[in-house]
Amino acid sequence: MNAAAESASQADKEFLGVDTPGFFSLTQDGTLKTIDLFRTWERLAPLWWQHVTGTSRDAYWKSVGHFIVARYAKVTCAAQGLEVGTRMLTRLVTSAGTRPRGAGGQEAGAVDRFEMRREADGLLVGAVEQAWTWIDASGAKPIVAAAPPPGLHCIQHTLASVPTLPQEDALEEIDRFTWSARETDPNRHVSFLSYFDRADDALVKAEGSAGPGPFSWESWYRRECLAGEPMKMLSATRRPNGLQIEFSGANDDIRRVVMRHRKGLGTGAA
């Protein structure tokens, strides 16, 4: 096999789809809502699990005693002026492997890269990049897996480290609330898209309006949150690197989730 053919054989499989935004999928300026970007991605996501395990996502997790947790996500909303019913092309590529851990050693996981483009001209509508990690729950206590579980039939890459968690020591409390069951997912944790909804509300309070044009949210996940758990939100005033929002437990002050908003596509947008 020549080098070009070998390289092609080692490429991660692309999963493609077609979607059309409905009336409740778009904002008043024709931007795709973040929650609908996630929902469109979720229509492709099960295809990867079926391809690499031969079964459904949930069935595989149960069979190997592992599950995944998100470590980092970047969500980009890149276009305005969209119309209901416009055909959109969707694409998902998942790269599995191991990456360095901050405390040393290795962790097994993957990076999902999803994007949506307008079919007519290829305009980028939205994108999600998510880095996740395997958790081995087969023992007495769940631990971060240093190697992927058995039965995962895909290329294993050397993955880049998760982007560095931003630090901020000048935060002010801006809100207190309690998570509802509506904000959770079947893992019995608060769904990571729920943090984006809460952060969008905080952005409007801080700035009056998110303003026109493309934007992105980055999010770092340090510990899960649960329904019924009291939380507090903290914020830093806008800096050159963006508005920062943090979620901490109201009863323990543990830093759970850190988010950063950026205007424009910036560098590294999907």
Side-chain angles (χ1 to χ4, degrees), residues 220-232:
W220 289 260
Y221 305 97
R222 307 184 74 242
R223 184 174 295 191
E224 73 277 3
C225 295
L226 308 173
E229 188 172 12
M231 303 295 296
K232 60 184 179 181

Side-chain angles (χ1 to χ4, degrees), residues 16-270:
L16 307 175
V18 178
D19 214 287
T20 55
F23 182 83
F24 295 108
S25 300
L26 301 176
T27 66
Q28 64 182 20
D29 62 4
T31 301
L32 187 71
K33 295 177 182 178
T34 303
I35 191 170
D36 283 277
L37 186 59
F38 281 108
R39 285 172 175 165
T40 307
W41 169 25
E42 175 60 16
R43 284 192 273 275
L44 287 182
L47 300 180
W48 184 80
W49 292 96
Q50 185 69 42
H51 176 70
V52 302
T53 70
T55 187
S56 70
R57 176 172 46 194
D58 292 347
Y60 175 69
W61 290 4
K62 290 177 182 177
S63 71
V64 296
H66 284 58
F67 62 92
I68 69 172
V69 295
R71 290 278 313 280
Y72 167 85
K74 180 179 180 180
V75 178
T76 301
C77 291
Q80 295 177 296
L82 304 175
E83 297 180 352
V84 173
T86 300
R87 281 172 59 91
M88 304 290 179
L89 303 181
T90 58
R91 175 179 177 269
L92 171 66
V93 176
T94 297
S95 300
T98 56
R99 66 171 69 89
R101 293 193 67 190
Q106 297 284 309
E107 64 180 35
V111 178
D112 297 318
R113 295 180 176 89
F114 171 80
E115 67 177 25
M116 177 185 285
R117 294 181 180 272
R118 190 163 59 192
E119 184 181 44
D121 56 7
L123 176 71
L124 180 65
V125 171
V128 180
E129 178 179 325
Q130 177 193 226
W132 52 261
T133 297
W134 280 111
I135 301 297
D136 182 351
S138 61
K141 182 179 180 181
I143 59 172
V144 174
L152 194 66
H153 303 298
C154 59
I155 305 163
Q156 294 294 312
H157 301 273
T158 299
L159 303 174
S161 300
V162 172
T164 303
L165 178 74
Q167 300 297 317
E168 179 59 71
D169 57 7
L171 298 171
E172 296 182 0
E173 185 177 322
I174 58 173
D175 192 19
R176 291 197 177 219
F177 66 92
T178 300
W179 294 113
S180 70
R182 165 181 63 83
E183 295 171 294
T184 63
D185 57 28
N187 278 346
R188 305 189 70 81
H189 298 158
V190 170
S191 171
F192 75 104
L193 65 84
S194 297
Y195 298 107
F196 290 94
D197 274 350
R198 294 274 183 177
D200 278 338
D201 290 342
L203 178 66
V204 173
K205 289 180 181 179
E207 301 195 344
S209 171
F215 65 88
S216 65
W217 276 107
E218 291 180 280
S219 186
W220 289 260
Y221 305 97
R222 307 184 74 242
R223 184 174 295 191
E224 73 277 3
C225 295
L226 308 173
E229 188 172 12
M231 303 295 296
K232 60 184 179 181
M233 290 182 68
L234 302 99
S235 176
T237 56
R238 178 167 286 283
R239 304 290 179 85
N241 64 348
L243 178 72
Q244 186 167 317
I245 302 290
E246 295 194 7
F247 295 84
S248 294
N251 297 329
D252 56 21
D253 287 325
I254 293 176
R255 197 183 193 203
R256 308 294 183 86
V257 176
V258 179
M259 302 186 69
R260 184 169 61 197
H261 180 267
R262 294 180 185 272
K263 292 182 177 179
L265 292 179
T267 58

